[in-house]
Amino acid sequence: MTATPHHPLPPVARKVPTSRTHHGDTFVDDYEWLREKENPEVVAHLKAENAYQEAVTAGQEALREAIFQEIKGRTLETDLSVPSRKDAWWYFTRTLEGKDYPVYARVAATDSGDPLADWTPPVVEAGVALPGEQTLLDGNAEAEGQPFFSVGGAAVTRDGNLYAYAVDNAGDERFTVRFKDLRTGELLPDVIEGAFYGLAFSPDGTRLYYTVVDESWRPHQIRAHVLGTPVEQDELLYQEDDAGMWLGFELSAQRTHLVVGISCAEYSEVRLLDFADPAAGLRTVLSRDARVLYEAEPFALDGTDGVLLTHDRDAVNSMVSFTTWEELAKPFEAQEWRTLLPHSPEVRVNGTGVLRDFLVLSVRQDTLERVQFLPRQSLGTPEQRPTMEPAFAEELFTSYLSAADYDAPLVRLGYTSFLTPVRVYDFVLPTAAAPEGELLLRREHPVLGGYDPQDYVATREWAVAADGTRIPLSVIRHRSVRQDGTAPGLVYGYGSYESSLDPQFVISRLSLLDRGVVFVDAHVRGGGELGRHWYEDGKKLAKKNTFTDFVAATDHLIASGWVDPDRVAALGGSAGGLLMGAVANLAPEKYAAVVAQVPFVDALTTILDPELPLSALEWEEWGNPITDPEVYAYMKSYTPYENIRPVAYPRIAAVTSFNDTRVLYVEPAKWVQALREQSTGTEPIVLKIEMDGGHGGASGRYVQWRERAWDYAFIADALGAGALLPGAGPQ
């Protein structure tokens, strides 16, 4: 790439050829040395990359500032959450104007004997303390003087006296756990270093369970810390040595058991620790040898103790069954499980929660995530009643379980759509007197600046892939945009790990819509929008479907007249960043700009090295190129770094973080070097690296708003969409 009157020369990393040979194939990598994170030359190079992108994008500064101010102007800076009840307390957060982080607080609940009244949250007002309000953790005070701040979990003992919280000050997702006596406000001397996400106290509050990651950043141990004892003496409850398995835990619905989950993308194993008899150790529900992907919960049916299973045994979209410990003791093929919710090819069951009188089902139907309820009293009868769910008016929406207490008369639901800000509902559970239940709106997240949802439109369209598969698209636009082939467009995609792009309201997206940009979520294969098969058809040796689906989505938008073929940009992050790199190689001529956030663009190098963070866990998603030559050849045919070619690449921005432990900074750093070397075009290719951030970027809401403004200004500038539509923008 040569300098132009507007762009200086980019930094050029020296070449240090490194050979990588597998299955008789040798790949020479000139930039692998950039992996040397402690090398001063690497750090200097990355800083030079930042200086280059700052120079190249200097002309976008006014647009960035405008978008930042729009985000800020629409956001209620002094905000609060709706309190959630746990045991004898209401827990909530406050955010303050000018402050980056929330303040975590609580207030005592009352028990009057009226269940609905006792579970009606107190009204919290900005700047007004509730009687008896107690601060648990002030994130702003904790973050003072730190380059990064993130809370990775918190737990309170059942008696409400002790509070444990985990803090990350580097962005590497390794947390320091501290303990606070809420009666005195004093910190206990106990400190746990290097913990991972998730904390839970035992019912008696004497010990805290936590996870630890190994050198490859995989959670592999669950430990128990007894308060007042040295951390070095913490009990190792369980260690998972299979490098391809992820480890985690949670409490059972009645908090009688610790539920340990060990899983990959294709099968799992659950072990239970009974708090009534912890000396008995962990009890395996179903061995991973059965190759069943399942979740398990202690459960009683018709007076018989057993286990509730949400599983894919002969059920690709999963189903719900009950079985006893006697059955689980038999050989797997001989076990009989009682069906509670049969399999459906149209409904994907993602999880099941247990309440005193209901099962709560998290399902995906017609691409949408929703919550359904199944009465427990009907589970043992042949004429099982059908599931029911709260009714919402919009066509495209997301509803999800936010909080549930086993004995509560209601559950907390979240609701959002492309046009509706997040709403907090309490759903009063159905009774004989009110069989449909009742939705109580507790709060709709406010949007300032005169936001009117009638100014925008969100519709579902369908693109058609080369193999005839119909691909759902969510098309969001300002109402004034016409379908005449002149509008700029942004196509967003992910398409991995069965993750779905669900309808959600995003304040920052309004800044693009108000500039006439048609924003499109492409629900490509590899995600989970249309059930398990949608995921299976976009992974391993079918992974290329993800990339070609995205191009087909782009072609549909152009052919349908929604966008100008010369004014289309692409956006994706992490595995969606791999998608961006693959699409840039497949069809560079279709995009005016590509923004790849923390992009997994050197996937083959990473997965070939099981010592690198999370590499072995990726084998169930992409295949194992170490042992399988077919997987190696297939991956090499699409991974972005290996397939850069001499074509005119569009304007590209790779956005990453120096301390990201999931997708290492070296991947985009190498990628942009090779792109510049091969590109026959003149469009700038930049690397923006946050030197103090993690996989989610820098911490602090104001910094995150500026990061989003940077991405959107880069896109809007490339699309010639810097000006607001007449009458649009915060008023």
Side-chain angles (χ1 to χ4, degrees):
M1 183 178 292
T2 59
T4 71
H6 304 291
H7 298 150
L9 281 170
V12 178
R14 62 185 174 90
K15 293 184 177 181
V16 182
T18 303
S19 295
R20 184 193 74 203
T21 300
H22 289 270
H23 307 295
D25 176 76
T26 297
F27 175 71
V28 178
D29 189 342
D30 290 330
Y31 303 113
E32 177 62 14
W33 72 275
L34 291 173
R35 191 178 301 277
E36 300 168 11
K37 189 175 182 181
E38 305 301 324
N39 186 338
E41 186 180 356
V42 171
V43 175
H45 173 76
L46 297 176
K47 290 181 177 179
E49 287 282 14
N50 265 342
Y52 173 68
Q53 67 84 6
E54 288 171 2
V56 166
T57 65
Q60 299 164 22
E61 176 56 36
L63 180 56
R64 283 199 294 266
E65 183 62 25
I67 293 175
F68 170 77
Q69 292 298 337
E70 290 162 17
I71 297 171
K72 187 171 181 285
R74 286 187 166 111
T75 303
L76 182 62
E77 295 185 67
T78 301
D79 202 3
L80 43 91
S81 65
V82 178
S84 293
R85 181 166 178 172
K86 196 69 175 177
D87 297 317
W89 297 85
W90 290 100
Y91 294 88
F92 58 98
T93 61
R94 294 181 182 271
T95 54
L96 308 176
E97 184 174 357
K99 301 292 186 180
D100 276 308
Y101 304 101
V103 175
Y104 301 85
R106 72 175 184 176
V107 66
T110 58
D111 289 308
S112 66
D114 181 342
L116 282 180
D118 293 341
W119 283 84
T120 298
V123 177
V124 184
E125 297 179 303
V128 180
L130 292 172
E133 183 174 331
Q134 182 179 18
T135 296
L136 305 178
L137 181 70
D138 183 342
N140 302 289
E142 289 281 333
E144 189 172 350
Q146 300 291 344
F148 184 90
F149 174 77
S150 177
V151 176
V156 182
T157 53
R158 294 192 75 167
D159 61 14
N161 291 336
L162 296 179
Y163 177 66
Y165 62 97
V167 169
D168 171 17
N169 289 132
D172 61 1
E173 297 177 275
R174 287 177 169 85
F175 298 88
T176 299
V177 181
R178 292 184 171 85
F179 299 82
K180 185 176 182 180
D181 188 327
L182 296 178
R183 294 163 295 187
T184 65
E186 298 297 322
L187 290 177
L188 302 184
D190 306 58
V191 176
I192 302 170
E193 300 284 359
F196 191 54
Y197 293 101
L199 303 173
F201 277 108
S202 59
D204 63 6
T206 61
R207 61 182 56 206
L208 182 86
Y209 296 95
Y210 63 97
T211 53
V212 177
V213 295
D214 61 15
E215 291 302 315
S216 68
W217 193 83
R218 177 184 65 91
H220 76 129
Q221 292 181 343
I222 296 176
R223 292 182 171 272
H225 174 70
V226 177
L227 292 172
T229 66
V231 173
E232 295 76 21
Q233 297 178 9
D234 285 0
E235 174 192 1
L236 176 59
L237 182 67
Y238 180 76
Q239 177 167 313
E240 177 54 51
D241 293 322
D242 186 335
M245 302 296 281
W246 187 273
L247 178 65
F249 66 82
E250 61 183 2
L251 296 177
S252 64
Q254 292 181 269
R255 292 183 278 180
T256 57
H257 292 74
L258 190 76
V259 183
V260 175
I262 309 149
S263 66
C264 64
E266 299 185 345
Y267 55 90
S268 57
E269 180 175 284
V270 175
R271 302 186 182 199
L272 302 179
L273 177 70
D274 188 346
F275 289 131
D277 186 16
L282 293 167
R283 187 178 190 181
T284 300
V285 176
L286 183 68
S287 168
R288 69 191 73 183
D289 295 337
R291 290 302 190 262
V292 174
L293 187 63
Y294 74 99
E295 296 176 355
E297 172 80 16
F299 193 75
L301 184 63
D302 297 337
T304 301
D305 287 334
V307 180
L308 184 76
L309 298 169
T310 305
H311 64 91
D312 69 350
R313 182 186 184 185
D314 301 321
V316 66
N317 273 340
S318 293
M319 59 188 289
V320 183
S321 301
F322 171 78
T323 193
T324 64
W325 285 105
E326 289 74 20
E327 288 294 324
L328 290 167
K330 298 177 182 178
F332 173 65
E333 295 75 12
Q335 293 176 19
E336 295 185 3
W337 301 356
R338 183 173 176 179
T339 297
L340 303 184
L341 182 74
H343 175 258
S344 167
E346 286 80 36
V347 180
R348 173 76 165 104
V349 181
N350 293 319
T352 308
V354 176
L355 304 176
R356 178 175 295 280
D357 296 320
F358 290 88
L359 298 186
V360 187
L361 307 168
S362 172
V363 304
R364 185 170 300 280
Q365 185 174 359
D366 301 326
T367 78
L368 304 179
E369 183 183 0
R370 51 223 303 169
V371 180
Q372 298 180 344
F373 296 85
L374 185 62
R376 288 184 67 166
Q377 66 183 23
S378 70
L379 296 179
T381 61
E383 59 280 358
Q384 176 180 304
R385 291 163 58 185
T387 59
M388 58 83 60
E389 66 178 86
F392 298 106
E394 293 179 273
E395 176 190 4
L396 302 178
F397 67 90
T398 302
S399 69
Y400 52 93
L401 184 68
S402 177
D405 186 278
Y406 183 82
D407 291 310
L410 47 76
V411 297
R412 176 68 51 82
L413 300 180
Y415 174 90
T416 186
S417 76
F418 293 117
L419 308 182
T420 303
V422 172
R423 290 177 176 172
V424 177
Y425 285 101
D426 278 337
F427 179 64
V428 181
L429 295 167
T431 62
E436 301 301 319
E438 183 181 7
L439 270 176
L440 302 175
L441 178 62
R442 299 302 191 192
R443 186 171 189 260
E444 179 173 300
H445 192 87
V447 181
L448 307 181
Y451 170 71
D452 184 351
Q454 298 303 315
D455 291 339
Y456 307 91
V457 179
T459 57
R460 170 58 43 80
E461 298 204 10
W462 298 83
V464 180
D467 63 2
T469 301
R470 298 177 75 237
I471 307 156
L473 311 178
S474 297
V475 181
I476 312 127
R477 60 181 174 86
H478 195 278
R479 186 173 293 278
S480 65
V481 171
R482 297 289 173 252
Q483 198 171 353
D484 58 7
T486 64
L490 173 61
V491 187
Y492 179 79
Y494 187 76
S496 293
Y497 306 108
E498 203 180 354
S499 286
S500 300
L501 302 181
D502 291 318
Q504 60 176 316
F505 183 81
V506 181
I507 281 180
S508 59
R509 184 171 54 210
L510 297 176
S511 291
L512 288 180
L513 300 180
D514 285 350
R515 287 170 171 81
V517 177
V518 177
F519 194 108
V520 180
D521 279 343
H523 305 286
V524 296
R525 281 174 282 187
E529 285 88 345
L530 292 174
R532 183 72 178 185
H533 80 89
W534 198 247
Y535 169 52
E536 300 283 356
D537 291 346
K539 64 181 292 193
K540 290 189 174 179
L541 296 179
K543 188 62 203 172
K544 289 182 184 179
N545 286 335
T546 303
F547 317 136
T548 54
D549 283 2
F550 191 90
V551 175
T554 304
D555 290 340
H556 171 84
L557 294 165
I558 294 169
S560 65
W562 276 125
V563 299
D564 180 340
D566 295 325
R567 303 174 72 199
V568 183
L571 173 66
S574 197
L578 183 151
L579 169 61
M580 294 299 99
V583 165
N585 289 334
L586 276 175
E589 73 284 354
K590 294 184 186 294
Y591 303 96
V594 174
V595 174
Q597 301 160 323
V598 289
F600 191 34
V601 284
D602 192 21
L604 189 52
T605 299
T606 295
I607 297 174
L608 282 168
D609 187 350
E611 299 303 316
L612 291 177
L614 303 184
S615 293
L617 290 166
E618 300 290 350
W619 296 337
E620 298 300 333
E621 181 73 20
W622 317 94
N624 187 343
I626 299 174
T627 60
D628 191 329
E630 183 181 14
V631 170
Y632 175 89
Y634 187 75
M635 288 192 69
K636 192 175 180 187
S637 72
Y638 72 72
T639 47
Y641 186 55
E642 284 89 349
N643 288 280
I644 295 169
R645 54 197 177 98
V647 295
Y649 281 94
R651 191 180 307 191
I652 292 177
V655 182
T656 190
S657 296
F658 191 52
N659 291 322
D660 191 340
T661 53
R662 303 195 189 202
V663 179
L664 300 185
Y665 73 90
V666 67
E667 298 201 25
K670 292 164 58 174
W671 182 53
V672 298
Q673 285 294 308
L675 280 170
R676 291 180 190 140
E677 187 177 356
Q678 289 286 323
S679 181
T680 62
T682 59
E683 292 293 340
I685 297 168
V686 301
L687 175 68
K688 179 178 181 290
I689 181 165
E690 171 57 57
M691 298 303 288
D692 292 317
H695 193 62
S699 64
R701 56 176 177 164
Y702 294 99
V703 176
Q704 290 175 348
W705 294 348
R706 288 201 179 276
E707 288 187 341
R708 186 61 62 243
W710 193 98
D711 295 344
Y712 283 178
F714 187 90
I715 291 166
D717 180 70
L719 299 181
L724 290 166
L725 296 171
Q731 304 302 310

